[in-house]
Amino acid sequence: MNRLLEAKRVVIFTHINPDADSLGSALGLYHFLTKKKKKVWVYSPSSSLPYNLDFLPGFNKIKTTLPKSYDLAISCDCGSFDRLGVEKVDAFLINFDHHASNDNFGDINIVDPLSSSTSEVVYWFLKRNNFEIPLESAICFYTAMVDDNGFFKYDRVKESTFLMAKELCEIGVNPNEIATLLTMREPLSKLRLTTLLLEGLELKLEGKVALLNLTLKMLEDTQATKEMAQEALDLARALAIVEVAILFREENAYEIKVSLRSKNRVDVGKIALEFGGGGHKLAAGFTFKKEDKEQVLALLLKRIQKELGA
Ligand code: AMP
Ligand code: MN
Ligand code: MN
């Protein structure tokens, strides 16, 4: 706590391809620390940010460069150091996270794998220390939380999740307004990509696994962004017979990024870790070389089959 209060120049790190939880937790802390008269940078290693998060207070303050010097670093929603997307951090590092696979890479690690989002870890940390939460922070934390737990739908949603939501509402958060801004400003390109992806849906392991393939050409044809493929993946998982949905996403000429989504029987975080990635029980990912595609798919299906059989 003293580290936080004594620091003058703070950099808050979000993860590669930052999502609402990483950015919302970081911006929530940004407003809190700025009001404490600190100079704060929110750093993103990726220059393209999700279009539907542009309403978050402070969104336009996010930087893709680092200041020359800073005396405190904070990471939000990063399960391992490589997720920060930098070679090194030149200050004392506080690691706020909720990945079970977090390897405690920080100098202080405030990690709770039982939280449905990192924003809850940050929020309860501030509350434990009796800090007042500004409205701007409340908006960021609420958005981070509902995006990561699917509006209270996924695992690890519990009493304290609703308690935090209640308290954020008391500060002035409007849930309908945030839900509308977050989920109801979809471009037509996303709908076109979703259609295209679902047309190519393949069922494996007697329908327990749904497989989607995203090529660079599909993005070019629809003018959609790669993040927009999430929607089709969620729809594939929602099929009654499906337990796990897999998305193979062509990243560039050499790499394929895999996203895994589980309904509840299979721990895909554990599987992704074995393939060199990481994540949570119900949502995880990893990356592999394009030439290994058939082999990786076969191995992945075998691994899922084993979990389903257990
Ligand atoms: P995604 O499928 O990219 O939306 O990722 C789902 C979850 O898996 C995220 O919350 C990340 O924590 C985790 N994840 C995805 N890709 C990786 C990776 N390459 N390494 C570690 N964790 C990952
Ligand atoms: Mn994340
Ligand atoms: Mn998260």
Side-chain angles (χ1 to χ4, degrees):
M1 176 43 51
N2 287 344
R3 288 276 180 182
L4 204 59
L5 294 179
E6 283 163 11
K8 292 192 174 66
R9 297 158 65 84
V10 185
V11 175
I12 309 177
F13 291 84
T14 62
H15 61 64
I16 296 170
N17 299 321
D19 55 9
D21 192 24
S22 194
L23 290 172
S25 300
L27 287 171
L29 273 168
Y30 167 86
H31 293 293
F32 169 78
L33 292 170
T34 302
K35 285 194 199 308
K36 293 261 177 253
K37 306 273 180 272
K38 298 177 189 316
K39 181 90 182 117
V40 191
W41 285 259
V42 175
Y43 173 78
S44 162
S46 313
S47 54
S48 104
L49 301 175
Y51 61 92
N52 60 337
L53 299 178
D54 60 354
F55 69 92
L56 290 179
F59 184 80
N60 56 6
K61 301 255 192 270
I62 297 164
K63 304 219 172 0
T64 51
T65 55
L66 287 165
K68 277 204 182 73
S69 71
Y70 47 100
D71 49 27
L72 180 69
I74 300 175
S75 63
C76 288
D77 201 40
C78 299
S80 52
F81 186 80
D82 58 308
R83 299 285 287 158
L84 276 72
V86 291
E87 260 172 34
K88 60 183 175 59
V89 160
D90 294 322
F92 191 88
L93 173 62
I94 304 177
N95 160 19
F96 281 107
D97 188 39
H98 70 133
H99 289 86
S101 56
N102 195 295
D103 54 9
N104 293 334
F105 57 83
D107 296 304
I108 293 180
N109 302 284
I110 304 167
V111 178
D112 178 17
L114 299 178
S115 287
S116 75
S117 66
T118 293
S119 69
E120 287 155 78
V121 184
V122 175
Y123 177 77
W124 292 116
F125 169 81
L126 296 177
K127 288 283 288 188
R128 272 198 303 281
N129 288 287
N130 297 315
F131 286 126
E132 208 172 304
I133 313 287
L135 177 60
E136 292 96 326
S137 298
I139 292 169
C140 294
F141 290 149
Y142 184 86
T143 305
M145 176 171 79
V146 295
D147 192 81
D148 236 35
N149 68 24
F151 288 91
F152 309 102
K153 191 164 54 186
Y154 302 142
D155 63 331
R156 298 175 288 173
V157 171
K158 50 187 190 292
E159 205 178 322
S160 62
T161 320
F162 290 104
L163 180 61
M164 171 171 154
K166 170 190 176 279
E167 292 181 3
L168 295 178
C169 288
E170 283 165 358
I171 295 168
V173 163
N174 179 335
N176 173 250
E177 192 181 316
I178 290 184
T180 308
L181 289 164
L182 193 61
T183 68
M184 296 187 199
R185 294 186 296 150
E186 303 290 50
L188 190 57
S189 55
K190 182 170 170 180
L191 206 61
R192 294 218 163 101
L193 181 69
T194 304
T195 311
L196 207 57
L197 281 166
L198 292 178
E199 270 172 9
L201 181 139
E202 292 172 59
L203 290 174
K204 306 277 185 190
L205 304 184
E206 295 164 329
K208 290 193 186 71
V209 171
L211 178 64
L212 298 174
N213 273 291
L214 173 62
T215 61
L216 289 169
K217 181 166 187 308
M218 287 160 95
L219 293 180
E220 205 182 301
D221 290 349
T222 55
Q223 289 298 296
T225 62
K226 57 187 184 180
E227 295 79 22
M228 292 178 187
Q230 293 270 340
E231 179 91 3
L233 188 59
D234 284 340
L235 288 168
R237 167 174 57 183
L239 281 172
I241 51 169
V242 168
E243 283 297 334
V244 176
I246 307 174
L247 169 72
F248 274 16
R249 181 175 97 190
E250 199 178 15
E251 285 289 274
N252 47 48
Y254 318 101
E255 283 178 323
I256 292 179
K257 152 96 209 233
V258 182
S259 283
L260 301 168
R261 297 291 183 270
S262 169
K263 207 170 265 168
N264 51 40
R265 273 174 64 191
V266 178
D267 182 345
V268 290
K270 191 171 79 178
I271 297 177
L273 209 55
E274 292 169 20
F275 284 81
H280 307 287
K281 185 183 174 202
L282 305 187
F286 64 93
T287 303
F288 67 87
K289 283 201 210 80
K290 214 167 168 177
E291 68 224 40
D292 299 334
K293 187 171 174 188
E294 292 316 313
Q295 204 185 348
V296 169
L297 177 60
L299 272 173
L300 189 55
L301 289 173
K302 209 169 142 187
R303 201 50 201 81
I304 296 168
Q305 171 91 74
K306 192 176 153 205
E307 292 294 314
L308 283 166

